[in-house]
Amino acid sequence: MATDITDTVHAADAAAVMGLLPARPRLLALGEPTHGAEALLDVRNELFRQLVEEEGFRTIAIESDCLTGLAVDDYVTAGTGTLDDAVKQGISHGWGDYAGNRELVRWMRAHNDGRPASERVRFAGFDGPLEITHATSPRHPLTALHGFLAARVDADLLPCTADTLDRLLGDDDRWTDPAAMTDPSRSAGRSAEAARLRLHADDLAALLDQQAPHLRTVSTPDDLDRARLYGRTATGLLRYHHWMADTSPSRMRRLVAARDHMMADNLLALADRGPALVHGHNAHFQRTMSAMRMGGAPVHWWSAGALVSARLGEQYAFVATALGTLRHQGVDTPPPDTVEGLLYAFPKTPCVIDAPRLATTLATTPPTRRESPWFGYAPLDPAHLARTDALIFVKDVPRA
């Protein structure tokens, strides 16, 4: 058995990862089992550097706010602002504080300095403007989309005025109230104003498509891409707020599905720019249905990766990451009958494993799924190996 497993293990570099994929992907998704582990961010950064230098990749997207991420892209491509501002304001969830994310942005800016636009690397966030405690107001993407169109198309084609949007949006606090996350009655998502806004957002996004031939002649490609981002973000946010106001038992399932749907739309847009490396939690990238317990009840939904895979086929690739120890969080040496335990015996990490071949090797003696003592770490599910293109294993993750 040890020999069979050894045959599936390779050095963790871009050439080895690409060699395990069935086709050259437009999107290469690198998952992680926990957020904020600097050792995992180091692996991601080195892999991206190699993909840029050896495989022609030009974009990286991380699980961060798609709108604030525009500031990071402006910094790495044009030097707009400062490194401090880019990581603190442009990377959401507080993840701009991680040294690995700061180093990624610093390297991208240094790489781009003096290069022509066609050779520059780009940054994107692929998450919606959502936090654990609340969702943001749809004001920014909705008014930005309206402003883009108002400057370029006949006024009588617009479904509403900017003043109408402002009146319907009202005070932003009504959209961002943290109490709405657990109390649907506190949400503005099903108010009469929200219903009108959903119609206006849909009409504005449709107008963007209807006027595409004209807009291409009067806009830069980047400006048009941003307008499309504003459109899908505005409609996605209003949909998310709508389900925040839901009182049915399926409320949380609707919310997590809406979030991954927004992620999938952003990833598919990046695929048009591809090839791109995208980095986030394993649960957002797996091809199988995602599951977690919320409020004591199981919640199941299709992840962004499952949705994207259904559209792109072999042009979507998923590389999961597993780890051995995270001792400062109580995650000690993995049991030997788990996948992590079997891989922990190998001395050299990080390493990349042929996941489908490993699944076949382990089929006669299926490993057990590891149990996590800490809520912030999700062990690998052995049942997912066959539908994972490759697996990167990091043996020990020290405290940052």
Side-chain angles (χ1 to χ4, degrees), residues 32 35-36 41 44 61-72 84-98 101-102 105 123-132 134 136 259 263 266 279:
E32 61 180 3
H35 289 311
L41 298 181
R44 176 203 64 187
I62 71 171
E63 189 185 326
S64 179
D65 185 329
C66 57
L67 296 182
T68 61
L70 296 173
V72 184
D84 285 343
D85 289 342
V87 297
K88 290 179 180 178
Q89 300 173 16
I91 299 178
S92 62
H93 311 320
W95 295 340
D97 293 336
Y98 297 151
N101 286 333
R102 183 183 179 87
V105 176
F123 178 94
F126 69 86
D127 200 355
L130 308 171
E131 293 288 350
I132 294 174
H134 66 279
T136 61
R259 181 189 180 196
M263 289 182 174
N266 286 330
H279 183 249

Side-chain angles (χ1 to χ4, degrees), residues 77-130:
T77 57
T80 304
T82 67
L83 175 60
D84 285 343
D85 289 342
V87 297
K88 290 179 180 178
Q89 300 173 16
I91 299 178
S92 62
H93 311 320
W95 295 340
D97 293 336
Y98 297 151
N101 286 333
R102 183 183 179 87
E103 173 57 22
L104 170 68
V105 176
R106 187 210 62 77
W107 179 84
M108 293 176 72
R109 178 65 201 134
H111 174 87
N112 286 340
D113 191 29
R115 293 179 185 268
S118 61
E119 296 180 11
R120 294 174 193 158
V121 290
R122 304 287 300 272
F123 178 94
F126 69 86
D127 200 355
L130 308 171

Side-chain angles (χ1 to χ4, degrees), residues 31 149 255 294 319 345:
L149 289 167
L255 287 174
M294 303 185 77
V319 179

Side-chain angles (χ1 to χ4, degrees), residues 192-277:
E193 294 85 357
R196 290 279 305 281
L197 287 168
R198 288 190 78 183
L199 290 174
H200 289 324
D202 182 70
D203 285 338
L204 288 167
L207 183 61
L208 189 66
D209 289 338
Q210 293 161 6
Q211 292 292 311
H214 165 65
L215 293 172
R216 287 193 183 97
T217 67
V218 296
S219 310
T220 68
D222 280 352
D223 285 343
L224 194 52
D225 281 347
R226 290 194 178 195
R228 294 189 180 110
L229 172 61
Y230 294 140
R232 61 181 179 267
T233 304
T235 55
L237 263 178
L238 286 164
R239 184 183 305 114
Y240 191 89
H241 280 288
H242 175 84
W243 289 114
M244 284 187 74
D246 184 34
T247 58
S248 76
S250 62
R251 177 177 184 265
M252 292 310 301
R253 183 178 182 182
R254 293 279 194 176
L255 287 174
V256 293
R259 181 189 180 196
D260 270 72
H261 187 192
M262 292 178 71
M263 289 182 174
D265 283 347
N266 286 330
L267 291 174
L268 288 168
L270 290 171
D272 292 336
R273 187 195 295 175
L277 176 69

